Amino acid sequence: MFLELNRWPKDAVAAKDDSGQSATYGDIQELVHRMEDCALPRSVVFCLCRNSVGSLAGYLALESVGMVPLLLDAQLDAALLATLDAEYQPWAYWMPSTAVQAHEEDILLRYADYVLVRTGHDTSPLHDQLSLLLTTSGSTGSAKLVRHKQGNLESNAKAVAEVFGWNTAERALCALPMNYTMGLNVIHSHLYSGGCVLLAASNLMAPEFWDFAKAEEATSFCGVPYSYEIFRRLRFERRGLDSLTTLAEGGGRLSDAAFRWLAETCAATDRRFFATFGTTETSARMTYLPPELALEKTGSIGRAFPHGEAFLVDEEGNRVEGEGELCYRGPNVTMGYAQCRADLERGDDFQGEYHTGDLAQQDEDGCFYIVGRKKRFLKLFGLRVSMDEMERLIAEEFQCECACGGTDKRMVLYVVTDQDPELIRSFASQKTGIHQSAFAVELREAIPRNEYGKISYAALEEANAS
């Protein structure tokens, strides 16, 4: 069974959400048996996810019976979902029952507030090791997916559980979306350890979130940089969450000030702070900074998790010391990408090694620090968004020239148009599901290009700085 969930007492609670629903390890095993009775053909299933017990239990059961879930936000833009459906043609959907518009005979199974619905698409050949699909660029609707193979998710869950020391007493507060690689890893590592996952759908700014955390006596929390900006603003240290003994961060680089605040707050309140780093391509996590080093190594992402190796290479791919592109080898490295249905038959392109595109330095203690990024992605509020994909979406929607730049704090959309900039900003927010404050729109008379007709991003940024 996936994550060896059948090792734990059937009456132990595996998950509880902030709507009051809960599921025991026995409930999940029973759902697996029900899916087995459906005799489902091995195929792709779109899981429209939210942080609820029904959503999670169905995903775990699908993994256990050998289906290949693609995890998507239940609130994904309808046009983007249609694009993915047309490209990958899922055999079924695991989705909220309130969203179903199908004949009763197409509903194969019900559990909590979710249903398994037959689509009418035929099955297609899949690689025999393929186990999960996740999107690569937040929720911009790109058809490019990361192909996980059997063992990736489990190996990373085991390594994280080992380093963090998770056990059956843990109660993980999970506010990150389960369709987001870091949120999924929080779930996997705690369930592998026999703990309980507390699924929060409420906003971190909402009183309901904190009430849920207190009532359920959460013991750990993992957030992205934006999560901890909210924690600082709300004076987390004064909220009396004595049960919360571990704070972890991933999904982007904390500012030095936020890093120091977290390290100092945890040290002063007898908590542990883990800074971690990873990618979807490595099943969420590659490196971690031990809590005892947090005060002295501000900004570090630490060293590789057990059973993995992190290293640096130069532009020719030769291993180097000091500074270079951060690379990783380990059992959690995925198979590669898919950009169309036929790619789901592909073998292992990565062969256990992933080059992140991030520039990093390594200190004398072997700890890494990210210093830049080679690829054109930004991590906005912890979600990776492709600037190239955003350019395409805006150009198509507004029939204008667009170029994207910026930092992980804000994406700048440079456009040549007569359109209202607020419409463009609203569109970017809608397509990504990220707050409008993560985007700025600048009107330009022209987009600078080189002699080959390609956008000159250096010239664009220079003009912006002047």
Side-chain angles (χ1 to χ4, degrees):
M1 188 174 180
F2 182 56
L3 296 174
E4 303 176 33
L5 299 180
N6 52 353
R7 289 180 297 148
W8 306 113
K10 290 187 176 182
D11 61 350
V13 177
K16 187 171 184 178
D17 64 33
D18 53 8
S19 75
Q21 295 186 98
S22 63
T24 65
Y25 282 91
D27 292 334
I28 295 171
Q29 291 177 52
E30 177 59 30
L31 182 57
V32 171
H33 296 322
R34 289 176 60 194
M35 282 200 182
E36 288 173 338
D37 291 341
C38 291
L40 306 174
R42 178 167 157 78
S43 55
V44 173
V45 177
F46 279 15
C47 294
L48 304 188
C49 301
R50 56 193 187 193
N51 278 17
S52 75
V53 163
S55 178
L56 174 58
Y59 155 70
L60 295 170
L62 289 166
E63 282 285 357
S64 294
V65 300
M67 304 298 277
V68 180
L70 167 57
L71 305 190
L72 300 166
D73 189 340
Q75 301 301 314
L76 183 66
D77 180 82
L80 302 182
L81 178 59
T83 297
L84 288 166
D85 184 279
E87 185 60 63
Y88 290 101
Q89 301 182 22
W91 189 83
Y93 275 68
W94 181 248
M95 63 190 298
S97 55
T98 54
V100 174
Q101 296 178 351
H103 298 295
E104 187 64 31
E105 60 266 26
D106 291 326
I107 298 177
L108 306 175
L109 187 150
R110 296 178 182 271
Y111 179 83
D113 55 343
Y114 266 66
V115 293
L116 184 65
V117 183
R118 176 81 169 88
T119 64
H121 292 310
D122 294 331
T123 60
S124 58
L126 302 173
H127 192 277
D128 59 5
Q129 289 295 303
L130 185 65
S131 69
L132 176 71
L133 299 167
L134 289 179
T135 58
T136 60
S137 55
S139 54
T140 57
S142 169
K144 187 177 181 180
L145 309 175
V146 174
R147 297 178 292 117
H148 294 68
K149 64 183 176 183
Q150 293 177 14
N152 285 157
L153 303 170
E154 296 91 333
S155 66
N156 208 222
K158 292 176 183 179
V160 172
E162 176 184 333
V163 165
F164 282 58
W166 296 148
N167 56 44
T168 57
E170 293 298 330
R171 298 175 65 80
L173 181 59
C174 185
L176 298 174
M178 64 167 283
N179 54 288
Y180 172 48
T181 187
M182 191 63 71
L184 197 60
N185 183 265
V186 171
I187 291 168
H188 289 162
S189 59
H190 283 83
L191 293 182
Y192 173 77
S193 305
C196 177
V197 177
L198 304 172
L199 297 165
S202 51
N203 189 286
L204 268 63
M205 297 287 286
E208 293 80 8
F209 172 83
W210 298 98
D211 291 343
F212 180 59
K214 288 180 181 178
E216 296 301 329
E217 297 184 323
T219 60
S220 66
F221 174 81
C222 180
V224 296
Y226 180 66
S227 307
Y228 289 113
E229 288 181 21
I230 294 175
F231 272 40
R232 289 181 73 190
R233 211 175 306 157
L234 297 179
R235 295 179 179 252
F236 158 76
E237 64 273 21
R238 299 184 182 181
R239 290 194 164 257
L241 286 172
D242 295 336
S243 63
L244 199 59
T245 57
T246 301
L247 299 179
E249 186 275 332
R253 188 183 186 281
L254 284 165
S255 67
D256 285 350
F259 193 105
R260 282 192 294 269
W261 172 80
L262 258 175
E264 291 168 359
T265 297
C266 286
T269 56
D270 198 26
R271 293 182 168 96
R272 303 184 303 167
F273 165 49
F274 285 89
T276 71
F277 177 81
T279 64
T280 306
E281 292 86 348
T282 56
S283 308
R285 282 168 161 153
M286 294 186 288
T287 67
Y288 73 99
L289 183 68
E292 60 270 21
L293 298 180
L295 287 172
E296 64 179 280
K297 292 187 180 292
T298 297
S300 175
I301 60 170
R303 311 170 183 127
F305 275 95
H307 317 297
E309 178 192 13
F311 56 95
L312 303 174
V313 299
D314 61 20
E315 292 184 358
E316 285 72 44
N318 302 309
R319 292 202 182 200
V320 295
E321 296 180 355
E323 182 172 324
E325 181 183 2
L326 181 64
C327 301
Y328 177 87
R329 288 196 65 84
N332 50 311
V333 175
T334 55
M335 299 172 74
Y337 302 110
Q339 300 193 72
C340 64
R341 192 182 190 191
D343 286 344
L344 304 186
E345 296 181 72
R346 292 178 64 89
D348 189 347
D349 295 328
F350 287 159
Q351 292 294 309
E353 181 170 308
Y354 178 63
H355 292 218
T356 67
D358 291 293
L359 298 175
Q361 294 175 343
Q362 188 175 24
D363 68 13
E364 64 280 0
D365 296 321
C367 291
F368 292 94
Y369 295 76
I370 300 296
V371 296
R373 183 172 290 124
K374 292 174 65 177
K375 296 181 180 179
R376 283 185 38 78
F377 288 89
L378 297 180
K379 282 191 174 179
L380 304 175
F381 289 20
L383 296 176
R384 189 169 66 163
V385 180
S386 166
M387 290 187 280
D388 293 332
E389 188 71 6
M390 184 57 68
E391 288 176 359
R392 180 188 65 80
L393 289 170
I394 290 174
E396 289 178 356
E397 178 70 14
F398 296 97
Q399 296 297 299
C400 67
E401 282 191 277
C402 176
C404 293
T407 68
D408 285 351
K409 291 185 177 180
R410 181 173 293 181
M411 180 180 286
V412 182
L413 312 173
Y414 303 98
V415 291
V416 180
T417 183
D418 294 324
Q419 294 277 356
D420 182 353
E422 285 305 306
L423 286 177
I424 297 173
R425 202 159 74 108
S426 176
F427 174 81
S429 174
Q430 173 193 353
K431 290 300 180 185
T432 59
I434 298 173
H435 194 270
Q436 290 190 24
S437 61
F439 303 93
V441 178
E442 292 195 16
L443 301 179
R444 293 296 175 94
E445 293 185 0
I447 300 295
R449 297 180 180 273
N450 63 21
E451 62 271 28
Y452 301 108
K454 295 184 178 181
I455 295 173
S456 175
Y457 292 100
L460 195 64
E461 296 292 344
E462 287 174 8
N464 191 49
S466 62

